Amino acid sequence: MRPATSSLWAGQQPAAPVQELPATFTIFIQAIPVGTEQVTVTKDAGGCVIRATGRLGVPINLSTARFELRYDADWRPVSLVIESSLRGQPLILGTHFADGTATSNITQAGQQSQKTDQVAPDTVVLPNMFFAAYEALALRLASVDPGTELKAYIAPQLEIPLTVGAGAREQITTTARVINARRYSLTVVNPGGPLPVELWADEANRLLRVRIPSQSLEVAREDVASVSSRVERMARANDEQVQIEAAGFTLAATISMPAEAQSGPLPAVVLVPGLDRVDRDQTAAGIPVYAQLADALASSGFLTIRYDRRGVGQSGGRDEAATIADYAEDARTVVKYVERRKGLDKRRITLLGYSEGGFIAMLAASKEKKKVAAVALIATPGTTGGELVLEQQRHLLDGMNLPEYERQARMDLQRKVQAAVVSGSGWDEIPPAYRRQADTPWYRSFLTFDPDKVLSKVEQPVGIFQGERDREVPARHARRLLELAQARKRNRGAELGVIDGLNHLLVPAATGEVGEYASLEDKDVSRSLIDTLVSWIRRTSAAAGEAK
């Protein structure tokens, strides 16, 4: 195993300093751009210096005039200087590192203080909300093996463990070039519980992107933040990239087909994206769920199509005002596009929705009773979105070392936020930052979506597939969906497949908890789930072809 503190240059140390070109990063919270940072990295034989300026708007309101972080050639931090303003008040930090200690002089809101912390000599310095610091982490990860535990100093607060999970090579296509990137899965062990983090670096080990899904936070370099950039996670030799005309914009999609000629027209499967800001591959924790399903389905004889939802990836349109009903209309548009293709059996089109994408798939199917032959729901909630959010919040708090009164206070606040989102009133009792994040049309539509009411209008056969160790959408949701599907007046069949040992990402897991995602070694969607899914679609497609 390579040492975690290997030399910065892996044996190659230039005689003169090398000035890297500056990079600009955009910071997104809940997919909304809230600020930028301009970052420059200088590297030489003596180490690395990261400098940055930037500004974050609401809800953070942070302006940075100077950020300077120095490391020596063996990744020992030397100093950190921050000169900034937080909500109009000075925030100044000067930290010196020596002999396993970090000594900080702090000025915040007019108050001066000094603090000394014991830290690892090679700790990674990651002050909150100063994302230029992740440049050093990206550089350092190039010489760190999976399973390594680093120390991260959240200056000037505390030092915490940071575990490096499995990585993967990815290609990102931009308007200018193809970037051969490396994606790292990390777990930051916060006092309140594990925090999964994803980080991408380019060929020079410069930072490309950081994602913290649980905080709806993403930081992306300007070239990969562009909607025209795309990560190629799975490609078949005969894949076709298409643009589908929607309501005033286009949806970008990939069509995958069997490698060998088939006898007769092909059945089709439309993969409906969920509500998170992910592209057509539906990648979560480094696992491209839809890319793998599309590959498996195409290899099994189906034409498959997956698309970037509106306002995401290479698709046009805007998503800030879109609701589940709007996304269902997009899915219907894709179904109509597929139906018009030559060589396709339009009697055998299946809609497939994963997680919240199942909400969209069932709504679209309820409105396309003649064009959609069947509906497959994978890890889809069986309750309203509001009930699911409360269930997930309760599960998260149960795993934290918090007193009961604090857990109850957080649950009460979550209920108040949801009630205000739905009713449009009651915001006076809630911090403004929560409203800015939650008071959106799509979140309102998600909280109020009721699968009971929608599924009762779905007349097609319904297949429900679930991982038994799913902790985001537990297996009881699948059983609830089965009950609802079987209770329909026009029930043309409903089947349930719960696969042992799988988590929400559809891969084998020990616990299924979100905190386990970064350390998962198996990044392949379960073959058992794929076989069960393919078998069901084949049977329902064959029946649909015979009946019409």
Side-chain angles (χ1 to χ4, degrees):
M1 178 180 291
R2 290 167 292 179
T5 56
S6 60
S7 173
L8 177 63
W9 298 113
Q12 297 181 1
Q13 299 182 348
V18 177
Q19 182 70 42
E20 297 280 343
L21 291 175
T24 298
F25 292 85
T26 301
I27 296 95
F28 300 88
I29 296 179
Q30 288 198 332
I32 299 172
V34 297
T36 59
E37 281 189 1
Q38 291 74 42
V39 181
T40 302
V41 177
T42 304
K43 303 178 292 187
D44 63 17
C48 173
V49 182
I50 301 165
R51 297 181 177 90
T53 60
R55 181 172 180 79
L56 290 172
V58 293
I60 300 164
N61 292 322
L62 175 68
S63 179
T64 304
R66 180 188 180 194
F67 174 95
E68 185 175 290
L69 176 57
R70 293 178 176 270
Y71 288 88
D72 69 14
D74 290 315
W75 286 119
R76 292 186 294 260
V78 177
S79 63
L80 169 67
V81 176
I82 295 174
E83 297 174 1
S84 64
S85 173
L86 179 63
R87 299 185 182 92
Q89 297 293 320
L91 175 60
I92 301 172
L93 173 65
T95 304
H96 178 71
F97 298 87
D99 301 323
T101 62
T103 303
S104 299
N105 291 295
I106 308 157
T107 300
Q108 185 170 8
Q111 301 294 317
Q112 295 184 347
S113 60
Q114 188 177 75
K115 186 173 187 284
T116 299
D117 293 306
Q118 299 298 311
V119 298
D122 61 347
T123 193
V124 183
V125 183
L126 298 175
N128 276 330
M129 305 314 296
F130 295 92
F131 302 105
Y134 283 87
E135 284 275 21
L137 181 57
L139 287 163
R140 183 160 176 188
L141 288 172
S143 59
V144 172
D145 286 328
T148 299
E149 181 180 280
L150 305 175
K151 296 296 184 181
Y153 181 49
I154 315 302
Q157 297 165 329
L158 77 166
E159 186 179 62
I160 57 179
L162 187 156
T163 303
V164 181
R169 296 288 182 183
E170 293 180 348
Q171 284 192 338
I172 302 177
T173 304
T174 72
T175 54
R177 68 185 183 96
V178 174
I179 301 173
N180 293 307
R182 186 165 184 84
R183 175 184 47 76
Y184 300 93
S185 297
L186 312 169
T187 301
V188 178
V189 185
N190 274 331
L195 184 71
V197 176
E198 293 177 295
L199 183 149
W200 285 257
D202 67 10
E203 304 94 336
N205 303 316
R206 286 293 300 273
L207 182 67
L208 281 173
R209 175 184 283 134
V210 176
R211 277 188 85 230
I212 306 178
S214 64
Q215 298 180 356
S216 298
L217 175 67
E218 181 165 354
V219 181
R221 202 169 72 187
E222 58 184 347
D223 52 346
V224 298
S226 169
V227 296
S228 60
S229 68
R230 165 163 165 71
V231 178
E232 296 287 350
R233 296 185 175 91
M234 185 282 294
R236 296 171 63 87
N238 61 349
D239 275 355
E240 182 181 351
Q241 308 302 320
V242 299
Q243 298 285 327
I244 302 171
E245 292 296 326
F249 57 89
T250 59
L251 295 168
T254 299
I255 293 177
S256 298
M257 301 179 65
E260 299 178 357
Q262 306 289 303
S263 59
L266 295 174
V269 182
V270 176
L271 307 182
V272 181
L275 296 178
D276 198 6
R277 269 190 77 86
V278 293
D279 67 7
R280 70 195 76 174
D281 293 333
Q282 203 73 25
T283 302
I287 299 172
V289 175
Y290 272 3
Q292 293 189 30
L293 287 179
D295 184 39
L297 288 164
S299 296
S300 299
F302 297 92
L303 178 150
T304 68
I305 183 167
R306 62 193 193 277
Y307 60 98
D308 296 338
R309 67 165 225 203
R310 66 166 73 182
V312 172
Q314 296 176 328
S315 287
R318 301 177 67 88
D319 61 354
E320 59 264 34
T323 66
I324 288 178
D326 295 315
Y327 294 128
E329 289 304 307
D330 294 344
R332 294 176 68 188
T333 296
V334 176
V335 168
K336 293 172 185 175
Y337 171 86
V338 172
E339 185 189 33
R340 295 192 296 268
R341 285 185 64 93
K342 293 181 180 180
L344 178 83
D345 188 344
K346 65 181 181 180
R347 302 169 302 172
R348 296 188 290 161
I349 299 176
T350 298
L351 274 183
L352 185 154
Y354 163 70
S355 196
E356 292 90 345
F359 281 0
I360 301 169
M362 68 174 78
L363 181 58
S366 73
K367 298 178 180 295
E368 291 292 354
K369 295 179 174 63
K370 294 183 179 180
K371 291 183 172 64
V372 173
V375 185
L377 306 175
I378 303 178
T380 296
T383 64
T384 66
E387 291 173 292
L388 175 68
V389 171
L390 291 175
E391 179 181 350
Q392 291 175 335
Q393 176 83 339
R394 190 177 298 109
H395 180 72
L396 177 65
L397 293 172
D398 286 345
M400 294 183 178
N401 185 23
L402 296 174
E404 177 59 31
Y405 74 86
E406 186 170 345
R407 287 202 295 268
Q408 188 60 50
R410 294 193 185 190
M411 288 299 301
D412 290 343
L413 178 59
Q414 182 65 45
R415 292 188 182 93
K416 287 181 180 179
V417 169
Q418 291 184 198
V421 170
V422 173
S423 68
S425 61
W427 289 109
D428 293 344
E429 302 177 18
I430 299 169
Y434 286 88
R435 181 172 190 175
R436 286 190 288 267
Q437 294 184 28
D439 194 11
T440 64
W442 81 261
Y443 192 47
R444 187 176 302 111
S445 71
F446 173 70
L447 292 177
T448 57
F449 188 92
D450 189 347
D452 188 356
K453 295 178 180 179
V454 178
L455 201 52
S456 65
K457 300 175 184 178
V458 175
E459 298 180 359
Q460 299 93 330
V462 177
I464 302 155
F465 307 92
Q466 183 80 34
E468 169 264 334
R469 290 185 183 163
D470 191 335
R471 297 296 177 260
E472 293 192 60
V473 183
R476 58 180 171 275
H477 286 263
R479 292 188 286 271
R480 173 62 176 157
L481 287 174
L482 179 65
E483 293 172 0
L484 297 177
Q486 290 175 334
R488 295 175 296 168
K489 290 182 180 180
R490 293 179 63 86
N491 176 17
R492 294 183 178 174
E495 293 185 30
L496 172 65
V498 178
I499 312 301
D500 289 342
L502 302 189
N503 64 8
H504 188 68
L505 306 177
L506 313 181
V507 301
T511 68
E513 298 290 350
V514 173
E516 185 185 32
Y517 288 178
S519 61
L520 292 170
E521 295 184 1
D522 193 337
K523 299 289 185 179
D524 294 328
V525 171
S526 162
R527 190 71 236 180
S528 294
L529 182 136
I530 288 173
D531 290 344
T532 303
L533 173 67
V534 168
S535 174
W536 179 82
I537 297 178
R538 277 179 175 159
R539 284 186 282 108
T540 54
S541 292
E546 294 171 359
K548 295 184 180 181

